[in-house]
Amino acid sequence: MAGRGSLPEGSLFLGFDSSTQSLKATVLNNELAIVASEIVNFDSELPHYKTEGGVYRDSADDGHIFSPTIMWVEALELLLEKLKPKINFSKVVAVSGSGQQHGSVYWKKGSQEVLSSLDPSNSLLLQLKHVFSTMNSPIWMDSSTTKQCREIENAVGGALELAKLTGSRAYERFTGPQIRKIYQTEPNVYEDTERISLVSSFMASILVGSYASIDETDGAGMNLMDINQRTWSKAVLEATAPGLEGRLGNLAPAYSIAGQIAPYFVERFQFDKNCLVIQWSGDNPNSLAGLTLNTPGDLAISLGTSDTVFGITAEAKPSLEGHVFPNPVEPDGYMVMLCYKNGSLTREDVRNRCAEKSWDVFNSYLEKTSPLNGGKLGFYYKDHEILPPLPVGFHRYMIENLDAASSDNLIEHEVAEFDPPSEVRAIIEGQMLSMRGHAERFGMPNPPKRIIATGGASSNESILRAVAQIFGCPVFTVQRPDSASLGAALRAAHGWLCNAAGSFVPISCLYEGNLEKTSLGSKLAIPAGDKDEDRELLKKYTLLMKKRMEIEKRLVEKIGRA
């Protein structure tokens, strides 16, 4: 079996992460140590697009959220310029990347020609600004396709049938409903589109100078792929839009090659002409790779613009909530995932309102309020939430009798507001209780063996302490919070290795026995409490979690968007 030594001496592996708010790059050497990284923040470094948090919100259409496609093109060029002084591009033997999941790009007729004949003496921006049938890319924050979701579900026999078929029921952010909305509301755009890419395959297409396939893992986030056969589902394609299969192209395994790097990048940035571009995938699958999550019983929690919880499983058992995707680094396995729209931006909103716009003040409030928050429980939705499907709004409750033996004895009453320190603790505890409740309901381990935390907020020890107390297990963190670009660089190395071997090899061959010498190892951040009072606290959190799920169920019945 190929070992870690199979990576050529002196070689570099470049991983990108095209996320909601920025484009990042991480470079690994053949020892899998990080040798360079760089970032382009969309709002601050490309201010002429006037995005907020990397997106536009349509004031005339509640829930319609999108990004300017061309901004991602300009960001790629800028990022490569910023990396130029840091690394020798000719040493890069493979490139891969991560794209925010569910974002879609619409290439107009004739674009393939432009893509395959890029002129190195001109910028990408100049050459690609007229190749899209719509300049706007719907993204994962969009929730304006409820009607299309129901139509697709009904066409295949209901939400559960669609979940069994594609790994998820219809979600508003998923690409299938988004394509259907464009087909229905902008038929001229759909008609003029020759190829539809995901953000991941879009960026890969630019790098290879030709349309790159959608990879199977990111393709599972579209409501269009048969999760077991890993082919487009004819039934769902027909329910979505006519002539769709031709516009999507073929699917490809995540570890396979999209192509060699385009001459444009060889001439302009001095990449080696044999540099491989490995299929790009979604940000969550790349995080799974970057966290080296390969033990059932481990859970990962990513605390970023969106919050996600994911684990791995040997078989697909889709349900009405959460998602099943193919595992990007293990062809026979699956990853299971829960996704929350109200992540860091909603935490920042509470910080700005209640903690003097300071994370230091926010953390001091979190430290000085006691676990369980005196029974104060909050639901915070700055944006329409995915899980549970609730509209924008804030709901606060006082829970009494928390010392009682069962959740049946708990009494709640709604209140208008909490004091600032309690509000800070309520948003953190509320999210973690929701994650635990939904993860258990989805069949994820309870308690997990350990949780690996990543994303921006994973560097916050006060938040991690709450995670450990609520889940009742140790919390580990990784060297860098941007696990998606790190995972993409690791996947570049893995794809290179599979190509050299002529067949799939397990990704663990790259780092087995040497994990602590690489930039991939995780370290214990917060141990699981093993004192009597810790076990007592966990019992109370379990009661509070059950109560939260009850209240959430009533809220969904009363005001839910599904």
Side-chain angles (χ1 to χ4, degrees):
M1 190 177 281
R4 191 158 151 270
S6 310
L7 297 178
E9 195 67 41
S11 58
L12 298 176
F13 300 89
L14 171 56
F16 292 101
D17 175 29
S18 182
S19 70
T20 318
Q21 301 186 59
S22 62
L23 179 65
K24 301 185 190 83
T26 297
V27 185
L28 292 175
N29 65 12
N30 61 300
E31 297 287 312
L32 303 183
I34 294 171
V35 292
S37 59
E38 200 43 89
I39 183 168
V40 171
N41 181 285
F42 300 145
D43 290 3
S44 60
E45 294 183 70
L46 299 169
H48 43 285
Y49 292 102
K50 299 184 167 63
T51 54
E52 281 184 39
V55 307
Y56 296 137
R57 293 165 190 269
D58 186 347
S59 53
D61 181 359
D62 183 36
H64 182 210
I65 300 176
F66 52 95
S67 292
T69 313
I70 196 68
M71 177 176 75
W72 300 331
V73 175
E74 191 172 354
L76 176 61
E77 206 139 30
L78 179 56
L79 188 65
L80 288 169
E81 290 293 352
K82 288 174 83 168
L83 268 178
K84 220 180 197 173
K86 294 188 167 186
I87 64 163
N88 180 347
F89 285 125
S90 69
K91 297 261 170 62
V92 177
V93 299
V95 179
S96 190
S98 146
Q100 54 169 308
Q101 289 197 264
H102 320 297
S104 48
V105 173
Y106 300 79
W107 300 90
K108 75 176 181 194
K109 289 173 179 169
S111 299
Q112 165 73 21
E113 238 164 279
V114 180
L115 203 48
S116 62
S117 54
L118 292 170
D119 174 3
S121 63
N122 273 321
S123 71
L124 288 174
L125 178 68
L126 212 61
Q127 298 178 80
L128 295 178
K129 64 180 180 190
H130 300 302
V131 299
F132 309 115
S133 48
T134 169
M135 297 305 286
N136 300 326
S137 282
I139 62 155
W140 67 273
M141 293 170 81
D142 185 278
S143 58
S144 66
T145 59
T146 313
K147 169 179 167 283
Q148 289 77 17
C149 287
R150 297 299 85 80
E151 288 168 352
I152 293 169
E153 286 177 348
N154 293 339
V156 298
L160 189 56
E161 283 310 306
L162 186 68
K164 286 178 184 167
L165 195 56
T166 69
S168 305
R169 66 174 303 167
Y171 282 91
E172 291 156 324
R173 69 193 189 281
F174 273 42
T175 324
Q178 293 290 343
I179 292 169
R180 183 161 177 77
K181 183 186 171 192
I182 284 178
Y183 162 67
Q184 289 178 334
T185 60
E186 301 178 83
N188 54 324
V189 167
Y190 185 75
E191 184 49 42
D192 192 30
T193 298
E194 76 177 12
R195 179 59 74 106
I196 299 170
S197 293
L198 296 179
V199 176
S200 54
S201 62
F202 165 64
M203 299 297 271
S205 299
I206 296 173
L207 290 174
V208 296
S210 179
Y211 292 143
S213 297
I214 290 172
D215 89 286
E216 293 164 357
T217 303
D218 211 7
M222 298 173 78
N223 280 136
L224 295 173
M225 187 185 89
D226 182 318
I227 191 80
N228 293 305
Q229 302 300 321
R230 306 200 183 184
T231 55
W232 299 121
S233 160
K234 298 272 192 273
V236 193
L237 292 180
E238 279 169 26
T240 303
L244 184 50
E245 189 163 6
R247 287 171 170 86
L248 293 173
N250 297 328
L251 287 154
Y255 60 86
S256 64
I257 288 165
Q260 287 180 318
I261 199 149
Y264 179 88
F265 298 95
V266 176
E267 297 283 319
R268 197 169 169 102
F269 294 97
Q270 287 70 59
F271 276 88
D272 184 279
K273 66 179 183 350
N274 297 314
C275 173
L276 299 178
V277 179
I278 307 304
Q279 289 291 350
W280 284 44
S281 191
D283 47 7
N284 294 299
N286 276 286
S287 285
L288 180 133
L291 298 172
T292 64
L293 196 70
N294 49 23
T295 315
D298 287 353
L299 267 193
I301 290 182
S302 175
L303 300 167
T305 313
S306 64
D307 286 349
T308 51
V309 184
F310 47 93
I312 57 171
T313 176
E315 51 184 325
K317 291 182 184 168
S319 73
L320 283 176
E321 62 183 36
H323 316 292
V324 178
F325 298 149
N327 184 328
V329 292
E330 179 43 70
D332 301 328
Y334 295 89
M335 65 179 282
V336 290
M337 191 177 95
L338 304 169
C339 186
Y340 294 82
K341 193 187 287 189
N342 288 271
S344 61
L345 299 176
T346 307
R347 284 187 285 275
E348 279 170 26
D349 182 56
V350 170
R351 177 202 68 179
N352 295 345
R353 283 191 292 109
C354 302
E356 301 166 28
K357 299 188 175 178
S358 155
W359 285 120
D360 289 340
V361 175
F362 185 97
N363 292 341
S364 73
Y365 285 170
L366 202 47
E367 291 298 330
K368 77 179 191 190
T369 48
S370 55
L372 302 167
N373 210 11
K376 299 184 186 80
L377 189 62
F379 295 74
Y380 299 88
Y381 306 124
K382 187 174 182 284
D383 281 302
H384 295 325
E385 186 48 273
I386 296 158
L387 186 67
L390 285 171
V392 171
F394 302 95
H395 312 276
R396 298 173 185 86
Y397 298 87
M398 283 297 305
I399 311 294
E400 288 167 22
N401 296 346
L402 248 183
D403 289 327
S406 80
S407 55
D408 303 342
N409 305 6
L410 300 183
I411 300 163
E412 91 267 0
H413 53 266
E414 197 158 0
V415 295
E417 59 181 25
F418 295 149
D419 60 284
S422 301
E423 183 92 329
V424 164
R425 180 164 279 278
I427 190 170
I428 299 302
E429 287 194 342
Q431 187 77 312
M432 300 312 152
L433 288 164
S434 175
M435 285 177 171
R436 184 183 152 190
H438 286 283
E440 288 180 16
R441 204 154 84 182
F442 196 39
M444 293 190 197
N446 163 38
K449 284 184 190 162
R450 60 174 183 157
I451 284 173
I452 306 175
T454 181
S458 67
S459 54
N460 186 318
E461 203 174 297
S462 311
I463 291 176
L464 297 184
R465 190 167 294 108
V467 176
Q469 289 171 330
I470 288 168
F471 280 86
C473 70
V475 177
F476 286 73
T477 53
V478 282
Q479 190 175 325
R480 302 172 63 86
D482 47 345
S483 56
S485 64
L486 176 63
L490 180 65
R491 285 186 48 255
H494 181 229
W496 187 92
L497 198 62
C498 293
N499 182 62
S503 66
F504 177 82
V505 292
I507 195 167
S508 54
C509 293
L510 286 167
Y511 50 73
E512 223 151 31
N514 289 290
L515 201 55
E516 67 290 344
K517 292 183 182 152
T518 70
S519 292
L520 304 165
S522 54
K523 66 176 197 301
L524 180 65
I526 310 285
D530 55 3
K531 300 189 181 79
D532 285 346
E533 58 261 39
D534 297 316
R535 285 188 278 274
E536 207 45 51
L537 178 61
L538 182 60
K539 276 185 199 162
K540 287 180 182 170
Y541 268 130
T542 303
L543 291 180
L544 197 57
M545 180 265 289
K546 288 177 178 164
K547 190 65 184 172
R548 184 187 170 89
M549 297 298 277
E550 271 174 45
I551 297 171
E552 179 191 287
K553 184 169 181 277
R554 287 202 296 273
L555 282 171
V556 171
E557 284 163 5
K558 191 171 150 195
I559 56 170
R561 295 180 304 107

